[in-house]
């Protein structure tokens, strides 16, 4: 991937660990090249099917992994993974679009 120096890069993943398992090496490489990486995680294991403690542990693990690969920022929309389908599409897209607007990614 050929990006201008110090580009903003946005990684969007459905839930924690997808970004690391799918793009961890690329995130690290881009971070090492000086790019500012933001990771957006759309959903997670949240109530009502999971206890809040489960989500907090997964969030902590994700943040630790993000540090290792050099992410600048981690954003969690905190939508229960099992209920993403119940989100109005316009509302979900709006939340993601707001992040895109704020980050202004080049990739």
């Amino acid at each position: 991937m050929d990006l201008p120096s110090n580009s903003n890069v946005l990684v969007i993943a459905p839930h924690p660990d997808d970004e690391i398992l799918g793009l961890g090496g690329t995130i690290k490489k881009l971070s090492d090249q000086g790019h500012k990486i933001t990771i957006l995680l759309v959903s997670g294991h949240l109530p009502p099917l999971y206890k809040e403690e489960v989500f907090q542990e997964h969030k902590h693990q994700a943040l630790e992994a993000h540090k290792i690969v050099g992410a600048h920022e981690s954003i969690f929309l905190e939508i229960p993974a099992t209920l993403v389908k119940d989100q109005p599409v316009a509302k979900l897209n709006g939340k993601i679009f707001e992040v895109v607007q704020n980050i202004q990614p080049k990739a």
Side-chain angles (χ1 to χ4, degrees):
M1 185 177 300
D2 191 24
L3 297 172
S5 298
N6 301 317
S7 293
N8 290 333
V9 176
L10 177 61
V11 174
I12 302 173
H15 52 75
D17 83 6
D18 291 337
E19 76 290 7
I20 298 299
L21 294 174
L23 292 169
T26 300
I27 293 168
K28 177 68 171 150
K29 178 180 178 180
L30 292 172
S31 175
D32 287 349
Q33 291 174 351
H35 301 292
K36 184 177 168 185
I37 312 295
T38 300
I39 299 174
L40 170 62
L41 296 161
V42 175
S43 68
H45 292 121
L46 286 151
L49 291 180
Y50 299 91
K51 293 182 179 181
E52 179 67 25
E53 296 80 25
V54 171
F55 174 73
Q56 292 304 323
E57 177 62 25
H58 290 176
K59 183 175 181 179
H60 172 75
Q61 292 169 352
L63 291 169
E64 289 299 312
H66 296 174
K67 285 180 195 174
I68 291 168
V69 297
H72 173 76
E73 182 178 11
S74 303
I75 301 170
F76 297 81
L77 293 184
E78 297 191 19
I79 298 170
T82 54
L83 301 176
V84 171
K85 66 179 177 23
D86 298 333
Q87 292 283 309
V89 172
K91 184 177 177 181
L92 178 60
N93 288 347
K95 289 178 181 181
I96 294 169
F97 182 72
E98 182 179 337
V99 173
V100 171
Q101 289 293 99
N102 288 336
I103 302 302
Q104 294 293 304
K106 296 291 181 197

